[in-house]
Amino acid sequence: MTDNNINGGVKVALVTGGNQGIGLGISKRLVADGFAVDILARREEPADVMAELREIAGDPSRVRYVRGDVTSAEDHRRFLNDAVEAWGRLDVLVNNAGVAPTERKDLLEATPESFDRVLGINLRGPYFLTQAFANKVIALRGPIENLPEPPEGPVATIVNVSSTSAETVSINRGEYCISKAGVHMATELWAVRLAPEGIVVYEVRPGIIATHMTAGVKDKYDAFFANGGAPIARWGKPADVAGAVSILASGNTPYATGDIINVDGGMHIPVL
């Protein structure tokens, strides 16, 4: 996938929020695909999760964990430096970390504090982590004109995990919808800016996925599927999202950037 990276060695993927939910599914898949994986998350390093990932990897040195906050520029630097010091290269960034509002509230009752929290974690944080990652990749790569020939595959890949809420309205969590709509625009912005640098950018857009985030509204979404809300009438799994990320991280779509892969059972398709 990123064999054009001049540093050689095992391919390296960074996953924010890669210790639980969709992020853990992505971490497992990328480790199984042969990547060295570094995770950024706010919680203390989970020994059970790391043991499982290292078992999948077959080599404990191929999985690392940085405790930090995706909203912090200093933590961005620590995260990137940790991976480069361990493995000497950067290949893939998966901007997965995200939160829902602590409390779902109607638009007429939502608070600025909730808005700032959700936008900070879901949009501002990954936007500037993308900036830091791209600059680090460019520094490692060196001037693109100095490469032996124009690379036919990506020098690096960025995958933004957004949500069907980028386009689907939920009036009791407007801040979440706005944050994910912003992730979509950020994907297109970075795709255009980074294409000349050999870096491709994609958006994976999950639908209703069974995680801790959706556990509290299980009855609602059970009824949604029972009433024909999606052509594939079941809950999505973290592994479903991870499969899409795996395809994009593989480098097998080198002449595409800025694209969306919907992982939602077809619920984005307008049906009469």
Side-chain angles (χ1 to χ4, degrees):
M1 55 136 274
T2 51
D3 293 333
N4 296 292
N5 189 304
I6 61 174
N7 292 298
V10 66
K11 299 174 292 184
V12 174
L14 309 183
V15 184
T16 65
N19 61 326
Q20 63 178 351
I22 290 173
L24 179 56
I26 293 168
S27 296
K28 289 179 179 179
R29 180 58 185 265
L30 292 179
V31 168
D33 287 347
F35 285 87
V37 172
D38 207 343
I39 293 168
L40 177 71
R42 290 180 295 174
R43 294 172 177 82
E44 185 176 348
E45 181 173 327
D48 55 342
V49 169
M50 296 301 288
E52 181 181 8
L53 290 172
R54 287 170 176 146
E55 182 176 358
I56 295 170
D59 179 354
S61 70
R62 279 182 43 209
V63 184
R64 296 180 64 83
Y65 189 96
V66 174
R67 188 177 186 184
D69 192 329
V70 75
T71 66
S72 165
E74 176 56 34
D75 288 350
H76 295 171
R77 287 188 287 271
R78 289 196 303 110
F79 187 36
L80 296 171
N81 288 339
D82 184 77
V84 172
E85 289 170 8
W87 301 305
R89 62 187 285 170
L90 297 171
D91 296 277
V92 174
L93 168 65
V94 183
N95 284 310
N96 164 78
V99 296
T102 303
E103 183 180 359
R104 293 187 177 213
K105 288 191 173 185
D106 183 84
L107 293 178
L108 295 176
E109 300 173 348
T111 65
E113 292 78 14
S114 179
F115 187 95
D116 291 345
R117 170 180 171 270
V118 172
L119 269 289
I121 294 170
N122 293 5
L123 180 57
R124 183 182 181 276
Y127 185 90
F128 285 103
L129 178 55
T130 295
Q131 180 191 69
F133 175 85
N135 281 321
K136 196 75 166 180
V137 167
I138 291 166
L140 291 169
R141 181 208 66 198
I144 199 163
E145 60 268 19
N146 290 350
L147 294 182
E149 59 184 25
E152 292 188 3
V155 172
T157 300
I158 298 167
V159 181
N160 292 326
V161 179
S162 68
S163 167
T164 188
S165 295
E167 290 188 346
T168 304
V169 168
S170 296
I171 60 170
N172 63 350
R173 52 178 190 147
E175 59 269 61
Y176 183 79
C177 296
I178 290 170
S179 73
K180 295 303 184 178
V183 169
H184 170 63
M185 176 52 71
T187 300
E188 294 191 332
L189 285 164
W190 284 117
V192 171
R193 175 60 186 88
L194 296 178
E197 306 292 349
I199 301 171
V200 290
V201 187
Y202 305 106
E203 177 185 349
V204 170
R205 188 175 286 182
I208 300 168
I209 310 297
T211 68
H212 65 285
M213 188 181 291
T214 53
V217 285
K218 184 178 185 302
D219 291 345
K220 172 183 176 179
Y221 290 132
D222 282 345
F224 173 85
F225 287 116
N227 292 326
I232 301 176
R234 68 164 174 85
W235 283 75
K237 303 173 184 177
D240 295 320
V241 183
V245 173
S246 175
I247 291 168
L248 298 173
S250 72
N252 290 325
T253 55
Y255 197 54
T257 193
D259 296 282
I260 304 166
I261 295 184
N262 290 286
V263 186
D264 63 0
M267 63 181 287
H268 69 281
I269 303 169
V271 178
L272 290 175

